[in-house]
Amino acid sequence: MKNKFRTIKTLAAVMGISALLHTAPAFADSVHIAKEGNTFYTLSQQYNVGVNDLMKANPNVAALNIYDGLKITIPSKMQAESVATTETPVLTPSLNVTPESKTVEAWGKSFNYEKSIQVKASAYSSAASENGGWGAVDYFGNPLKLGTIAVDPSVIPLGTKVLVTGHSHAGLPKEAFLATATDTGSAIKGNRIDIFIPGSQSFVADFGYQYVQLYIVK
């Protein structure tokens, strides 16, 4: 009788372990608290997962508006690898310009552009002292976000979309990023732009002054 009870207990224990194994999730995601300068690309390098996998795991996060304190879901590498076998290749920083056809390809997407101009660029943060006391909003009252640039409307009309290239800063996507002229500034005259970068004033100030190439896209 004792042997019978011992067999039953052993079987129950085995079944219990088996049940736990079957109910445990196959993949375990983690959460990253965004810091200044984080982008889907930099996080993909940090956690060794694909940019596409990160974007799929965070459908409600705008790629151009990752700010300090934002929670980013990091898919497990095992899960990312299984998805990668059936999904499209991971996007990597790229920039290819074809002047003959007036096309520019960035991050795997192709744009037709009207013209290209070189401008002197600076950067600004959401600090009130850098926004004329109006707060962290653009000329139209919209919240500032990565992809907002201030321009001289006589050179680049408000509402114009441009591909910014030739820049270097940890808070900006590498190679190129799409921006919209929705802001102005008293010091932004002629071939000048001011690029909004999320982060502290000291972080943004690292941008300094840079000459960048703009492609005005259609």
Side-chain angles (χ1 to χ4, degrees):
M1 183 66 71
K2 289 182 179 180
N3 289 337
K4 181 178 180 181
F5 282 131
R6 186 177 295 120
T7 300
I8 293 174
K9 288 181 178 179
T10 301
L11 181 59
V14 171
M15 290 179 66
I17 294 172
S18 177
L20 287 173
L21 290 174
H22 283 291
T23 57
F27 311 113
D29 294 343
S30 59
V31 175
H32 171 88
I33 305 301
K35 300 177 181 178
E36 291 180 349
N38 282 166
T39 64
F40 279 134
Y41 174 74
T42 60
L43 292 175
S44 73
Q45 298 297 300
Q46 179 179 341
Y47 291 99
N48 194 28
V49 296
V51 173
N52 284 350
D53 299 317
L54 277 172
M55 295 179 73
K56 289 180 183 296
N58 298 274
N60 296 321
V61 176
L64 297 180
N65 195 26
I66 296 177
Y67 52 86
D68 191 29
L70 182 67
K71 293 182 179 180
I72 304 291
T73 299
I74 307 297
S76 67
K77 185 179 178 183
M78 185 177 182
Q79 184 180 33
E81 287 177 346
S82 68
V83 172
T85 59
T86 57
E87 298 295 336
T88 56
V90 173
L91 291 174
T92 56
S94 63
L95 177 67
N96 295 294
V97 182
T98 308
E100 296 80 8
S101 59
K102 283 198 170 183
T103 58
V104 55
E105 179 270 326
W107 291 83
K109 186 174 182 179
S110 184
F111 302 89
N112 293 317
Y113 68 91
E114 296 178 354
K115 65 177 181 178
S116 175
I117 58 173
Q118 187 182 68
V119 299
K120 185 178 181 180
S122 53
Y124 66 112
S125 71
S126 58
S129 60
E130 297 185 50
N131 292 280
W134 295 101
V137 295
D138 64 17
Y139 178 83
F140 299 99
N142 300 312
L144 296 175
K145 61 183 180 179
L146 190 58
T148 297
I149 58 172
V151 300
D152 179 344
S154 67
V155 178
I156 301 174
L158 288 171
T160 301
K161 290 188 179 297
V162 301
L163 195 67
V164 183
T165 70
H167 56 278
S168 177
H169 190 275
L172 296 173
K174 292 185 177 181
E175 297 289 350
F177 68 94
L178 195 62
T180 306
T182 58
D183 208 1
T184 61
S186 58
I188 308 304
K189 301 298 181 184
N191 282 27
R192 284 273 284 111
I193 66 168
D194 210 11
I195 302 171
F196 173 72
I197 301 177
S200 66
Q201 284 182 282
S202 59
F203 173 71
V204 175
D206 288 340
F207 185 91
Y209 289 99
Q210 301 179 27
Y211 283 93
V212 301
Q213 197 74 22
L214 303 183
Y215 293 89
I216 299 177
V217 299
K218 298 179 181 180

